[in-house]
Amino acid sequence: MQDGASLSNEEIRDLVRPDHVHRRAYVDPAIFDLELERIFGRLWIYVAHESQLKKPGDFVRTSLAGNEVLITRDEAGQIRALYNRCPHRGARICMVDHGSSRLFSCPYHAWVFRPDGSLATVPHRKSYPANFDLDDPQNHMQPAGQVATYRGFVFANLAENPPPLAEHLGPMTEVIDNLVDRAPDGEVDLAEAGFILEYRGNWKLHMENAADIFHPSFVHNSSVSPARKAPPKASIIDQDQTREMMLANGFGIKEWEGIQLTGFAGGHSSMKSFYNSGVLVHEDADPVAVRYKAALDERLGPERAAAVLAMRGFNNIVYPNLILNAQYQQMRVVIPLAVDRTLVHIRCFRLKGAPEEIFHRAVRFLTTLGSPASMIFSDDVEMLERCQQGLVSRAGPWIDFSRGLDSDLRDDRGQVSGAASEMPMRVQFKAWVERMTAEAA
Amino acid sequence: MSTAEMARAVEAFILREARLLDRGEFEAWLELYAPQGIYWMPSQPHQTDPLGVPSIMYEDHAILSMRVQRLLEARALVLTPMPRTTHLVSNIEVEDTDGDEISAQAAFICVEHQGERQRMFSGRHAYQFARENGSLRIKMKRVDLLNCDGVHAPITIPL
Ligand code: FES
Ligand SMILES: [Fe+2]
């Protein structure tokens, strides 16, 4: 069945073994449709950050389970998710990615909506039937599920009765906490500009790659090697940050074994102790870091501040499609377009109350790692596309993710392993099977 | 040097840069940049801030030389097979030809071929030159891609 017909739960379960997954999970459009319905259509999906929605009328346009949606703040201050479609004849209403507007007017026949989706006016009211009612929800921009926030992060959920957001996030709330706690003012702002990359591959490939700490030694060799040959501290614009970041992928066995991966129920995972030298907050007497630490000490007290800064997670995966790096204030949102096409939105945050240079370093981090011209990420993208190209071939249908299977441990929070383990991928596929075969909530 | 001579020299310089990139002579290309020279490809139209707003590239000589090294080692996955390019530069206008500060603008199209794929980039260049011992060096090259804030695939060969 590769022609768009739905799969039975039995067939879905048969695709995933403890140490292997069938290639169909990446190439079958029928599976992709089911993922939109059962994963992106039922889980809490990150859609916006509250710093983009400061006042009534502020909005962002994004994608939710294959639909274009507007996330708005309404007149009452509540955040809403609305399908970006006119209930009259179906036209797309908003054509920009973000902005502020107290009224959304459909350009076709000029129905005008409020930021909560309700219909404010229609021109030539008398030509509509007598029973045409502005207050009839059928005539409103349709709500795209429910919205909930956790410390500024806005999530939407299309399910009827979703579990509370905090339950879905589980231990991943710690990552969001850590990001926000790093701000001396206790708040972060999403930087307005970022990057959008498209790759010709399945969305899961990126989620797996972000939790794969085995590949950098091979894939990123081409940036490690030039960085090793380059003299230190030669750059006049970035305090050597680019070179250090390129070098950081060239770790040896010792660093490798120091990296700890933790996998959680629900498909989440975290990665500790990578890029340890402190690309943003240098360990040595960096005057910017000193000012930043002082500001943080003042707010949290030295002990708490030290604990906040000591939490060094690199890529933290919030299943299914959010990747957060609190230590360097980075975020990626993975948006599936088709079974073999994916967008990656790459953004960074400003720690409010921190010296401006800390933000500049986060921006530099974003550029070095996430720009389309990145000397690092471009090679990841190439690998994701090559995987997709390889998976199209029907030969040998099973993909192996067994590495570390025998050595993974459990602790009280989840599954723990060393960097060489493919445990995060197994954890993601465990959640995948659960979600793909679950009854609608 | 007369204004007309200077304009011709700038034009020849810009065309030479395009040729060096097309031929993969990246070390010679880097020589065109002053030691303090900067290559800037903003991510936003009309971007003025290179530090607080991310750029597709904002690189000085030291960072560019790592990029050149990576291009020359030619073992990056994304550079396999090595892309081939045609950099077409036109509409060159040279400004302020008196004194040591010279600037120029141009429009460009770059066609890149790699493997099964051919792509096209386009936009505008803005150059600031310094004159050192009679020869020109780039102090700043700004590349405003038409789709700078759009959806991108990896960009490898400088534009
Ligand atoms: S389609 Fe929107 S008003 Fe007619
Ligand atoms: Fe990578």
Side-chain angles (χ1 to χ4, degrees), chain B residues 33-48:
Chain B
Y33 286 75
Q36 311 275 307
I38 286 176
Y39 181 105
W40 186 19
M41 192 188 294
S43 75
Q44 303 297 310
H46 316 295
Q47 183 175 335
T48 52

Side-chain angles (χ1 to χ4, degrees), chain A residues 86-91 93 106-113 128:
Chain A
C86 181
H88 178 225
R89 296 252 290 273
I93 295 177
C106 176
Y108 202 178
H109 314 95
W111 287 24
V112 176
F113 305 90
Y128 289 84

Side-chain angles (χ1 to χ4, degrees), chain A residues 32 36 39-41 43-48 52 60-71 81-84 92 94 96-98 144 154-158 196 203 320-322 333-338 341-345 347:
Chain A
F32 180 77
L36 289 188
I39 294 179
F40 290 89
L43 292 182
W44 287 104
I45 303 296
Y46 170 87
V47 286
Q52 299 171 290
V60 293
R61 187 176 64 157
T62 185
S63 168
L64 178 60
N67 306 290
E68 190 173 78
V69 295
L70 298 181
I71 311 301
L82 306 167
Y83 289 107
N84 187 24
R92 262 167 112 190
C94 175
V96 295
D97 286 333
H98 58 92
V154 184
F155 294 78
N157 194 317
L158 290 171
I196 308 176
W203 66 276
N321 71 330
L322 174 65
V333 182
V334 174
I335 296 183
L337 294 180
R341 276 178 64 217
T342 305
L343 292 183
V344 190
H345 287 247
R347 306 286 287 262

Side-chain angles (χ1 to χ4, degrees), chain A residues 39-201:
Chain A
I39 294 179
F40 290 89
R42 291 184 191 163
L43 292 182
W44 287 104
I45 303 296
Y46 170 87
V47 286
H49 190 265
E50 277 197 82
S51 57
Q52 299 171 290
L53 306 167
K54 286 189 173 129
K55 55 180 196 305
D58 288 356
F59 68 89
V60 293
R61 187 176 64 157
T62 185
S63 168
L64 178 60
N67 306 290
E68 190 173 78
V69 295
L70 298 181
I71 311 301
T72 65
R73 191 178 287 279
D74 70 19
E75 298 296 339
Q78 214 181 317
I79 298 174
R80 308 274 189 158
L82 306 167
Y83 289 107
N84 187 24
R85 185 176 73 187
C86 181
H88 178 225
R89 296 252 290 273
R92 262 167 112 190
I93 295 177
C94 175
M95 298 301 287
V96 295
D97 286 333
H98 58 92
S100 193
S101 180
R102 305 304 276 258
L103 294 168
F104 294 93
S105 141
C106 176
Y108 202 178
H109 314 95
W111 287 24
V112 176
F113 305 90
R114 301 184 190 92
D116 64 1
S118 63
L119 183 57
T121 58
V122 296
H124 209 248
R125 174 74 179 81
K126 62 175 184 273
S127 63
Y128 289 84
N131 65 355
F132 182 85
D133 183 1
L134 291 177
D135 293 331
D136 182 349
Q138 180 176 278
N139 297 327
H140 297 178
M141 287 174 75
Q142 295 301 296
Q146 311 181 22
V147 170
T149 64
Y150 183 81
R151 295 195 77 180
F153 285 73
V154 184
F155 294 78
N157 194 317
L158 290 171
E160 296 267 316
N161 295 301
L165 172 62
E167 192 175 301
H168 166 71
L169 293 176
M172 302 317 283
T173 52
E174 272 179 28
V175 178
I176 297 176
D177 288 341
N178 188 251
L179 171 66
V180 180
D181 290 344
R182 283 171 182 267
D185 287 355
E187 254 181 37
V188 295
D189 274 347
L190 183 64
E192 207 171 285
F195 298 110
I196 308 176
L197 270 89
E198 179 176 340
Y199 67 89
R200 296 166 296 175

